[in-house]
């Protein structure tokens, strides 16, 4: 069974208030269908406003689609009961583009990384500390960073912290919504290499959203191009994709 | 900390402590009528002189401080509590719950708050309890609106989405992410509000709707002294000056809170307008 199956997902943002009942053609996503296998990476490539983040939010269970459905391990994300939801929530994690705003500025790095652990696992303070230190080390950061606040770290370091939080629960799928777009080239590369290693070692799947075709080609096994909320062409492998971009 | 904050906090503490220690600091019983000593000028045994019934003005002001400040604190805290709970629920849940509370509060907000307080007291009868309840109800509505606005703007932050994806429950979301981030702007408003409430209490007591004679309270004391405004203006000036100082100090504190680090957030610009209009 495939890990994630999306079936003609459609979501239109309803900007009409009481006084703007009939706004022109709404923005969002239209009729998106795709399949993502365990251990694979689907790249979503498209320009700004194409609807990539909207798709990401639907996959994360944060934004109910107007029509269509999406199943994860055979469970419909938007029809599931409390218990099932608690399970798939654990298996689908996220890394957002803006590393700083993805963290509560009042919390320490330790608290940030430990949040998913506290929600799902009963760890003693010592176990938790060990686990957080491990995660930081996996991401190439020193465990000493634990006591810092987000403000005291660089964008690249913060994005590593975000990834550490995303992998803390050993999820099956991570939605990467432009995880490296706001970083400089050298750091981008380091983080992409890291993500690739993670995927190869743990068999995690990615939905990798980006507008940078180089990055997508590096990480993705399969690429979908998005324009105005629709998939324009589904290309298997980087060769085709390259052709399509001209 | 800024010097402004330290100085004004110290002065407020001084006033609060002297109110608390009134029974020990006051040279006389504040309600002891002694017509043989009426309308005396300040002297060693009567630091601010006496009023038309021979009561020690200084002692009355000390005791009045207790009444005014504790009433103001209780009223603000109670309405803040209600506002926080309903505001968080309404702002976070959204949907029909939100709609319900907002329409209900619209109805209350259509009236100037002091007029509404007077109307409520007119129905329930004059007295400090009725006044306190009326003010709590009205203020709570304002706090609901304010808290809801803050929650609303925080709830779409990326870190809230990230926490949700991490499996954080709505309750934890409130306690760990939302409330800590609305406390600073709330503190700015609450300090200011205590000042406003002191004025409300005084105003209502001045017109005889709030604290009743013979209890000493700043507004009620101004009312007591108003017949002697020409011959013995100090009867009104003394409590009046104290109200002025207290409100000014609270404004200063609120100001320095809003200027200090940690309060500097995109939320700050929302604080500029007063929460309640008087
Ligand atoms: N909450 C919202 N309400 C209304 N319209 C929205 C909302 N979020 C996004 N949109 C609109 O939907 C369209 C798609 O937005 P989306 O964020 O999915 O694009 P994107 O491909 O992620 O772009 P970017 O590369 O800039 O992140 C845009 O035109 C945007 O203006
Ligand atoms: Mg986006």
């Amino acid at each position: 069974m495939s890990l994630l199956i999306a079936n003609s997902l459609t979501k239109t943002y309803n900007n009409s208030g009481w006084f703007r009942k009939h706004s022109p053609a709404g923005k969002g996503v239209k009729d998106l269908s795709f399949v993502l296998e365990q251990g694979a990476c689907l790249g979503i490539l498209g320009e700004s406003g194409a609807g990539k983040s909207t798709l990401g939010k639907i996959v994360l269970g944060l934004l109910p689609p107007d029509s269509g459905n999406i199943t994860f391990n055979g469970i419909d994300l938007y029809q599931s009961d409390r218990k099932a939801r608690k399970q798939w929530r654990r298996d689908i994690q996220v890394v957002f583009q803006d590393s700083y705003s993805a963290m509560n500025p009042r919390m320490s790095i330790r608290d940030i990384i430990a949040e998913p652990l506290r929600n799902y696992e009963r760890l003693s303070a010592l176990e938790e500390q060990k686990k957080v230190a491990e995660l930081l080390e996996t991401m190439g950061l020193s465990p000493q960073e634990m006591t810092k606040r987000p403000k005291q770290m660089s964008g690249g370091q913060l994005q590593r912290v975000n990834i550490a939080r995303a992998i803390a629960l050993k999820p099956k799928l991570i939605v990467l919504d432009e995880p490296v777009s706001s970083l400089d080239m050298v750091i981008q590369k380091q983080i992409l290499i890291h993500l690739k290693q993670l995927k190869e070692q743990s068999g995690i799947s990615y939905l990798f959203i980006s507008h940078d075709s180089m990055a997508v080609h590096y990480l993705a096994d399969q690429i979908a191009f998005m324009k105005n909320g629709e998939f324009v062409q589904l290309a298997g492998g980087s060769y085709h994709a390259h052709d399509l971009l001209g | 900390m800024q010097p402004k904050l330290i100085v004004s906090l110290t002065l407020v503490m001084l006033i609060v402590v002297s109110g608390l220690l009134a029974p020990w600091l006051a040279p006389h019983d504040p309600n002891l009528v002694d017509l043989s000593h009426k309308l005396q000028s300040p002297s060693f045994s009567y630091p601010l002189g006496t009023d038309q019934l021979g009561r020690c003005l200084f002692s009355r002001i000390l005791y009045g401080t207790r009444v005014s400040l504790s009433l103001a604190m209780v009223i603000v805290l109670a309405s803040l509590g209600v506002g926080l709970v309903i505001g968080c629920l309404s702002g976070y849940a959204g949907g029909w719950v939100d709609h319900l509370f907002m329409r209900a509060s619209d109805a209350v907000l259509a009236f100037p708050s002091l007029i509404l307080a007077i109307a409520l007291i007119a129905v329930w009868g004059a007295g400090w309890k009725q006044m306190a309840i009326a003010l709590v109800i009205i203020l709570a509505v304002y706090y609901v609106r304010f808290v809801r606005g803050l929650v609303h703007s925080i709830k779409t932050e990326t870190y809230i989405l990230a926490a949700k994806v991490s499996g954080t429950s709505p309750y934890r979301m409130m306690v760990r992410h939302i409330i800590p981030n609305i406390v600073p702007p709330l503190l700015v408003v609450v300090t200011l509000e205590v000042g406003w409430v002191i004025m409300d209490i005084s105003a209502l007591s001045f017109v005889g709707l709030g604290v009743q004679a013979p209890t000493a309270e700043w507004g009620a004391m101004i009312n007591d002294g108003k017949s002697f405004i020409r011959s013995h203006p100090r009867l009104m000036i003394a409590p009046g000056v104290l109200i002025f100082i207290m409100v000014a100090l609270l404004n200063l504190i609120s100001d320095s809170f809003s200027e200090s680090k940690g309060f500097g957030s995109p939320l700050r610009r929302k604080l500029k307008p007063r929460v309640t209009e008087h």
Side-chain angles (χ1 to χ4, degrees):
Chain A
M1 187 172 46
S2 304
L3 185 69
L4 190 74
I5 304 173
N7 195 356
S8 56
L9 296 172
T10 299
K11 168 77 202 177
T12 311
Y13 286 110
N14 195 4
N15 283 332
S16 57
W18 285 5
F19 300 102
R20 293 174 290 152
K21 262 255 151 62
H22 305 286
S23 60
K27 307 216 164 158
V29 296
K30 263 195 294 268
D31 200 23
L32 300 181
S33 302
F34 60 88
V35 170
L36 180 59
E37 303 295 337
Q38 178 75 55
C41 172
L42 172 63
I44 306 282
L45 201 49
E47 56 198 41
S48 186
K52 306 184 298 293
S53 297
T54 305
L55 172 60
K57 282 188 189 142
I58 296 176
V59 171
L60 286 165
L62 296 173
L63 186 70
D66 298 334
S67 67
N69 60 55
I70 178 159
T71 60
F72 179 82
N73 268 335
I75 299 165
D76 191 318
L77 291 191
Y78 293 95
Q79 304 289 327
S80 49
D81 58 23
R82 246 177 109 101
K83 217 175 130 214
R85 188 160 63 235
K86 183 132 188 167
Q87 185 54 45
W88 62 250
R89 264 253 184 275
R90 176 181 185 147
D91 289 333
I92 307 178
Q93 294 296 313
V94 69
V95 178
F96 287 112
Q97 171 173 4
D98 184 350
S99 53
Y100 181 72
S101 67
M103 302 172 183
N104 185 340
R106 289 174 198 279
M107 282 167 59
S108 69
I109 299 303
R110 174 181 172 162
D111 286 339
I112 289 165
I113 297 181
E115 183 162 20
L117 297 170
R118 289 176 190 161
N119 289 334
Y120 283 98
E121 282 165 24
R122 296 239 153 271
L123 299 179
S124 68
L126 208 65
E127 286 169 327
E128 180 190 289
Q129 186 178 10
K130 223 178 110 208
K131 181 90 204 214
V132 172
E134 249 170 51
L135 285 164
L136 281 169
E137 273 172 344
T138 313
M139 290 315 301
L141 293 170
S142 147
Q144 265 109 305
E145 312 281 8
M146 221 186 274
T147 54
K148 286 192 179 168
R149 308 255 149 195
K151 229 182 279 176
Q152 300 165 293
M153 296 182 99
S154 72
Q157 288 176 314
L158 285 179
Q159 203 56 301
R160 287 166 191 272
V161 172
N162 274 315
I163 298 172
R165 170 172 63 181
I167 60 175
L169 293 169
K170 298 196 167 53
K172 297 201 171 75
L173 168 66
I174 301 184
V175 175
L176 303 162
D177 191 349
E178 315 218 26
V180 295
S181 302
S182 55
L183 306 173
D184 69 55
M185 288 307 280
V186 182
I187 315 266
Q188 281 200 14
K189 205 165 154 191
Q190 289 172 356
I191 290 191
L192 285 174
I193 291 173
H194 233 116
L195 286 169
K196 192 158 192 162
Q197 278 174 355
L198 273 175
K199 173 170 167 266
E200 274 154 15
Q201 284 160 11
S202 58
I204 209 167
S205 308
Y206 293 142
L207 184 75
F208 182 40
I209 294 170
S210 179
H211 57 249
D212 174 2
S213 67
M214 295 269 275
V216 171
H217 286 133
Y218 176 73
L219 206 59
D221 311 301
Q222 214 191 8
I223 300 170
F225 295 90
M226 257 184 112
K227 198 169 179 158
N228 295 329
E230 290 177 288
F231 284 163
V232 223
Q233 182 105 36
L234 210 54
S238 53
Y239 177 72
H240 290 281
H242 207 78
D243 265 0
L244 282 164
L245 280 177
Chain B
M1 276 219 284
Q2 311 144 336
K4 184 167 89 177
L5 181 60
I6 297 174
V7 171
S8 42
L9 265 179
T10 314
L11 289 175
V12 167
M13 285 319 289
L14 203 72
I15 297 178
V16 170
V17 168
S18 55
L20 285 176
L21 297 181
W24 293 276
L25 291 180
H28 301 274
D29 178 344
N31 295 323
L32 183 72
V33 176
D34 181 359
L35 289 174
S36 62
H37 283 109
K38 72 174 184 179
L39 294 171
Q40 283 193 352
S41 300
S43 62
F44 186 72
S45 78
Y46 295 102
L48 288 174
T50 59
D51 68 4
Q52 70 276 22
L53 295 176
R55 298 175 296 193
C56 171
L57 199 57
F58 181 68
S59 306
R60 284 183 71 71
I61 284 196
L62 277 179
Y63 275 90
T65 303
R66 287 184 129 193
V67 176
S68 292
L69 294 189
S70 52
L71 258 179
M73 286 300 290
V74 168
I75 289 171
V76 169
L77 287 181
S79 51
L80 183 65
V82 176
L84 208 55
V85 171
I86 300 183
C88 280
L89 272 178
S90 187
Y92 193 70
W96 65 268
V97 181
D98 192 30
H99 260 284
L100 195 73
F101 284 127
M102 285 314 102
R103 295 299 79 78
S105 67
D106 281 343
V108 176
L109 295 178
F111 302 94
S113 60
L114 210 51
I115 305 285
L116 194 57
I118 291 173
L120 288 175
I121 297 169
V123 175
W124 297 332
W128 69 269
K129 279 182 199 147
Q130 291 87 323
M131 170 184 70
I133 294 171
L135 288 176
V136 167
I137 292 175
I138 292 161
L139 281 180
V141 173
Y142 284 98
Y143 280 129
V144 168
R145 293 292 277 222
F146 187 65
V147 168
R148 172 199 178 256
L150 292 174
V151 172
H152 229 75
S153 63
I154 288 178
K155 149 175 130 161
T156 49
E157 296 276 334
T158 312
Y159 64 81
I160 299 292
L161 292 183
K164 215 168 177 177
V165 171
S166 304
T168 304
S169 64
Y171 172 74
R172 274 206 201 186
M173 193 73 90
M174 250 346 133
V175 177
R176 302 272 300 152
H177 295 285
I178 293 181
I179 292 179
N181 283 296
I182 64 176
V183 163
L186 215 49
L187 203 54
V188 174
V189 163
V190 164
T191 345
L192 204 61
E193 202 62 44
V194 174
W196 282 102
V197 170
I198 290 175
M199 300 228 282
D200 285 347
I201 295 171
S202 299
L204 289 170
S205 302
F206 175 75
V207 295
L209 295 175
V211 178
Q212 302 293 310
T215 310
E217 187 278 340
W218 297 343
M221 287 175 68
I222 298 181
N223 187 27
D224 280 348
K226 72 175 186 291
S227 329
F228 301 88
I229 187 164
R230 285 178 196 282
S231 52
H232 300 88
R234 80 189 140 74
L235 295 188
M236 286 182 83
I237 290 174
V241 164
L242 212 55
I243 295 174
F244 171 79
I245 291 175
M246 197 65 201
V247 174
L249 288 175
L250 288 167
N251 269 280
L252 275 175
I253 294 174
S254 166
D255 243 26
S256 24
F257 276 158
S258 73
E259 284 160 16
S260 62
K261 267 207 273 168
F263 291 81
S265 70
L267 297 174
R268 187 186 311 162
R269 71 193 128 76
K270 294 189 170 28
L271 298 177
K272 279 298 163 206
R274 293 246 143 83
V275 191
T276 62
E277 287 152 28
H278 290 254

